[in-house]
Amino acid sequence: MPKLPKLREKKALWGVSAAAVLVLGGGGFVVYESEIADDDEVCCALPPPLYGVPRGPDGEIDVASQSVETKVPVDHDFSLHLRPGGKAEWELAETGESGNVLRAKGVKTVKGTRYFKFRALKTGTARVVLREVDGDRTMTYPIEVKESIGGTSVAEDPEEYYPEADDPLKFRKLDRDFDGTVTVRRGEEFRVANSYDNQPGYTWKIAEKPDDTVVGLYPDANPRVGGSPAADRKDWYGFTARAKGTTTVKLFGCYRCGYDSEPTSAESKKFSLTKTLTVVVR
């Protein structure tokens, strides 16, 4: 019998498990776990998505950082992931272990993406909180562990709608934050970038439109997305300068609001923000 390779000692706070899932008839699952070190190769391909949810590096259910309603099945591993490129570094503030619904399984980094890993131990609810290492922002995840999550929508990273270079119209691009004052010429078509870190998940809307006799939105205020939709993102809003004058545009960013149009939690109210752009047409 061939000798099995010895697993190297893992230098981490918690162990990291790799899960292989066998799909049974009738929707049942059997989960086998084995401890592996970060730098050991996994021999086999990841199992297929579970309930349509993508897999993390060790086969666990993979949930995007923008999730505000997180549901996972009991007796399964899952992770909350943060893509590289965001302005903040995050750490665990609350592990959700107080009610014995979850068990924290550590943090794993693969190609710059950080996976905060957990095990769903029993049905019930728990709360996981990530906090900014060098700031005061938090991301709270109400976790619901269910017998099944079939038919449940699980948050995935938003897709990039358009490459920044793929702009068929001849807009002047003002690569700056959506704030302060810009000066343009009458008849000019231009785009202004709303730049932000989308790791926590912002929902943006036009809170105050410009005076359309001076500046028109193009078209219907739908931005073209560039950058990394799950980290440092740029939403390019298009405008047409119609007449001489001065007007303002306001954007409201709802922090971790999900489907809510206004902040409802104390966290959302604290970290939501409004940006005001003043446009001068000469």
Side-chain angles (χ1 to χ4, degrees):
M1 181 175 179
K3 185 177 179 181
L4 294 176
K6 183 180 179 181
L7 293 181
R8 291 183 285 275
E9 182 179 356
K10 184 173 173 58
K11 297 179 181 179
L13 184 59
W14 298 286
V16 177
S17 65
V21 180
L22 173 65
V23 182
L24 304 178
F29 292 84
V30 177
V31 179
Y32 301 95
E33 291 189 331
S34 60
E35 294 298 321
I36 64 170
D38 281 346
D39 52 358
D40 281 307
E41 289 189 6
V42 179
C43 70
C44 308
L46 291 178
L50 175 61
Y51 302 114
V53 182
R55 298 288 190 161
D58 294 327
E60 78 278 7
I61 295 169
D62 190 21
V63 181
S65 64
Q66 294 87 4
S67 176
V68 291
E69 294 183 4
T70 303
K71 296 178 174 64
V72 295
V74 69
D75 295 327
H76 283 72
D77 288 348
F78 70 97
S79 59
L80 302 169
H81 74 251
L82 292 161
R83 298 296 188 208
K87 296 181 177 68
E89 182 179 351
W90 300 87
E91 64 184 3
L92 272 174
E94 292 185 32
T95 63
E97 294 183 331
S98 59
N100 296 320
V101 174
L102 304 179
R103 181 177 78 245
K105 299 195 69 177
V107 182
K108 185 171 186 176
T109 301
V110 179
K111 296 182 179 179
T113 297
R114 287 174 60 80
Y115 296 86
F116 295 86
K117 298 183 63 180
F118 304 87
R119 178 75 173 184
L121 301 175
K122 65 179 183 180
T123 57
T125 58
R127 190 176 94 146
V128 172
V129 180
L130 301 183
R131 67 183 168 206
E132 201 173 7
V133 173
D134 295 321
D136 61 351
R137 284 190 301 170
T138 57
M139 290 191 281
T140 299
Y141 297 87
I143 310 291
E144 184 180 359
V145 179
K146 306 178 68 175
E147 289 292 344
S148 169
I149 61 169
T152 299
S153 176
V154 176
E156 299 180 45
D157 285 335
E159 296 181 356
E160 186 171 356
Y161 305 131
Y162 305 100
E164 288 187 40
D166 182 21
D167 192 345
L169 301 177
K170 301 297 182 181
F171 280 80
R172 175 187 173 194
K173 296 181 73 174
L174 304 177
D175 190 1
R176 49 163 302 158
D177 195 12
F178 202 94
D179 204 355
T181 301
V182 297
T183 302
V184 295
R185 298 184 301 274
R186 185 175 56 178
E188 189 172 22
E189 294 183 322
F190 60 99
R191 292 193 189 277
V192 180
N194 175 32
S195 303
Y196 59 100
D197 180 0
N198 197 40
Q199 284 182 330
Y202 272 97
T203 304
W204 292 93
K205 65 179 181 180
I206 299 288
E208 180 182 299
K209 292 183 178 181
D211 179 351
D212 62 5
T213 64
V214 177
V215 171
L217 279 170
Y218 179 95
D220 300 324
N222 291 327
R224 298 175 69 90
V225 177
S228 172
D232 283 345
R233 173 168 165 164
K234 292 181 179 180
D235 293 349
W236 292 90
Y237 291 83
F239 301 92
T240 300
R242 292 174 173 167
K244 290 184 178 181
T246 300
T247 186
T248 59
V249 190
K250 289 186 178 181
L251 279 179
F252 177 69
C254 206
Y255 183 87
R256 295 190 57 74
C257 292
Y259 297 106
D260 295 327
S261 59
E262 299 293 335
T264 55
S265 68
E267 182 180 56
S268 294
K269 291 175 182 178
K270 181 176 181 180
F271 299 113
S272 295
L273 68 150
T274 299
K275 295 184 178 183
T276 301
L277 178 72
T278 301
V279 182
V280 178
V281 181
R282 295 192 183 281

